[in-house]
Amino acid sequence: MVPARALAPPRPSPPFGRYVFMPLALLALAVGAFGIGTTEFVMMGLLPNVADDLHISIPTAGHLVSAYALGVVIGAPLLAAVTAKLPRRRVLIGLMALFVVGNAVSAAAPDYHWLMGARFLSGLPHGAFFGVGAVVATGLVGPERKARSVSLMFLGLTVANVVGVPVATLMGQQLGWRATFLAVSAIGLAAIAALALLVPADHGHGEGAGLRGELRALGSLPVWLALGTTVAGFGALFAAYSYVTPMLTDSAGFAEASVTLLLALFGVGATAGNLLGGRLADHSLRGTLFGGLGSLVVVLALFPLFMRTEWSAAVGVTLLGMAAFTTGSPLQLMVMEKAAAAPSLASSANQAAFNLANAGGAWIGGLALAAGFGVTSPAVAGAGLAVLGVGVAAVAYAVDRGRGDVGGSGRVVAEHREARVESPSGV
């Protein structure tokens, strides 16, 4: 009698090469994410230095942050659409090359207007890199590890908040802000080398729907509900995080010199939440999403209490990062699943949604502050946005139920585990 295992169909190979390449390929993606995360957030700490050197006001220098975010929002869907038919490894290398050019031009910018344009250029590849990278990451693993693979790529972004941003800020303060952007360009070059060496070659995207088909897939209601959940959920984070410094100094009583360390604690929490969310989402994507959003509601609602003492404020900042980033991988994967015919475009659009959440959340938190509700009021406003995120996610679930599509990743994983042939362990 032939053993039952022998009758099982062979497990299909990952589209980007052998399974053993997976950990190193994810490391290459994480290096790129580290560089992008560093250049995105370091400008906040360098605004006084840039303003002094270019003889502009700090509010005017703040427009450099907005220029980068605008580049992300425009570049994410545009570059993903333009490169839809190209091999993904080549796309990732090209996007990182554009990132290097943008940061090198930033370092050499002779005046404010050149720096504004360079920051916009640096932001263009951000969303598309994470979008295409998420598709590559999930293509390297079996269905039971997709969310974890995305979380490992995002690990570079969260570690950037713990290590990259503080070190780059210190470098800019000691050696000049131009040195920071030269260092970030060097990180980008290292990422290009890692991508070329470690990400297995692919030969195009295979059977594709074409640009028109991808746009049509992106226009479905479930995709927009998933993107709406991203905007509301991460808008809740940025409503509070944008004003966390005055909360820590004016309410909790920290000295300004201590804020950098506390922001590093936020990064530690975000890193832990990102890894936890990736692992949990592989078992229950939707359950992890609801759990993460619910936790964010609780943390933000309690934030005014956390800010009453120094020790509780440190705990609160760490929990904020953990709760928010628990939802990162589930949201990215859900958008990709809802637009299966256009995963790169949808995944990149989700990165644009993250940046809209950044701008919108900061604006709403600022409204609460300007209305005189108190220094911790942006966190309460963020709790309201998180509740909205839970509501949008609930509507998305109801729509899926109506369409008979409620299994999500969990159903795929269950079927995969019943039939899979054992393979070398990965992440």
Side-chain angles (χ1 to χ4, degrees), residues 8-421:
R11 182 181 179 183
S13 299
F16 296 96
R18 292 174 56 83
Y19 192 75
V20 294
F21 283 115
M22 188 251 317
L24 291 179
L26 290 177
L27 175 62
L29 293 172
V31 172
F34 178 82
I36 289 174
T38 299
T39 202
E40 178 181 16
F41 293 108
V42 75
M43 182 57 75
M44 286 77 157
L46 295 178
L47 287 183
N49 307 81
V50 173
D52 288 343
D53 186 53
L54 298 181
H55 308 293
I56 56 177
S57 67
I58 289 181
T60 300
H63 295 158
L64 297 168
V65 178
S66 302
Y68 183 92
L70 182 63
V72 177
V73 173
I74 293 175
L78 178 63
L79 292 180
V82 169
T83 60
K85 288 292 185 180
L86 298 178
R88 290 191 175 110
R89 183 173 72 170
R90 189 185 305 169
V91 170
L92 290 171
I93 292 174
L95 291 170
M96 192 52 56
L98 182 59
F99 170 83
V100 170
V101 171
N103 281 279
V105 174
S106 296
D111 57 35
Y112 169 73
H113 299 290
W114 271 93
L115 184 56
M116 176 76 78
R119 288 296 289 169
F120 176 81
L121 182 64
S122 300
L124 285 175
H126 176 130
F129 181 88
F130 279 105
V132 176
V135 177
V136 171
T138 56
L140 289 164
V141 299
E144 82 285 4
R145 289 184 172 89
K146 284 189 173 183
R148 237 174 300 178
S149 70
V150 173
S151 73
L152 288 178
M153 180 185 68
F154 282 167
L155 187 63
L157 181 64
T158 58
V159 171
N161 282 281
V162 182
V163 179
V165 173
V167 171
T169 301
L170 182 63
M171 176 184 293
Q173 292 169 346
Q174 298 297 319
L175 302 177
W177 61 269
R178 298 177 190 276
T180 294
F181 291 111
L182 284 176
V184 172
S185 296
I187 296 173
L189 291 174
I192 289 174
L195 291 167
L197 291 173
L198 302 179
V199 175
D202 57 299
H203 304 286
H205 291 195
E207 296 280 336
L211 179 57
R212 187 174 302 176
E214 291 209 356
L215 291 173
R216 186 166 53 248
L218 190 63
S220 70
L221 178 60
V223 172
W224 280 101
L225 288 172
L227 292 173
T229 306
T230 296
V231 173
F234 272 81
L237 166 65
F238 287 110
Y241 188 66
S242 300
Y243 306 97
V244 71
T245 296
M247 292 188 211
L248 291 170
T249 56
D250 298 350
S251 182
F254 280 101
E256 288 187 5
S258 303
V259 171
T260 300
L261 176 61
L262 290 162
L263 295 184
L265 287 178
F266 173 85
V268 171
T271 300
N274 173 56
L275 294 174
L276 178 65
R279 181 168 290 274
L280 293 177
D282 280 327
H283 296 282
S284 175
L285 189 154
R286 207 178 292 270
T288 304
L289 179 58
F290 278 114
L293 289 172
S295 299
L296 189 58
V297 171
V298 173
V299 171
L300 287 171
L302 294 177
F303 221 65
L305 298 178
F306 282 126
M307 290 296 118
R308 289 186 176 180
T309 66
E310 291 186 353
W311 71 267
S312 60
V315 172
V317 168
T318 306
L319 291 177
L320 178 62
M322 180 176 292
F325 278 85
T326 297
T327 65
S329 299
L331 283 169
Q332 189 77 26
L333 194 57
M334 182 167 289
V335 170
M336 291 166 61
E337 286 190 349
K338 298 307 176 187
S344 294
L345 186 56
S347 185
S348 299
N350 196 47
Q351 293 301 312
F354 278 121
N355 278 268
L356 287 175
N358 189 338
W363 177 69
I364 290 174
L367 289 179
L369 204 58
F373 293 129
V375 71
T376 59
S377 61
V380 179
L385 283 173
V387 171
L388 177 62
V390 173
V392 176
V395 171
Y397 178 67
V399 169
D400 285 347
R401 281 184 61 113
R403 298 184 176 206
D405 179 23
V406 296
S409 294
R411 181 176 60 197
V412 174
V413 171
E415 292 173 354
H416 173 79
R417 283 175 175 165
E418 289 175 4
R420 72 177 176 138
V421 177

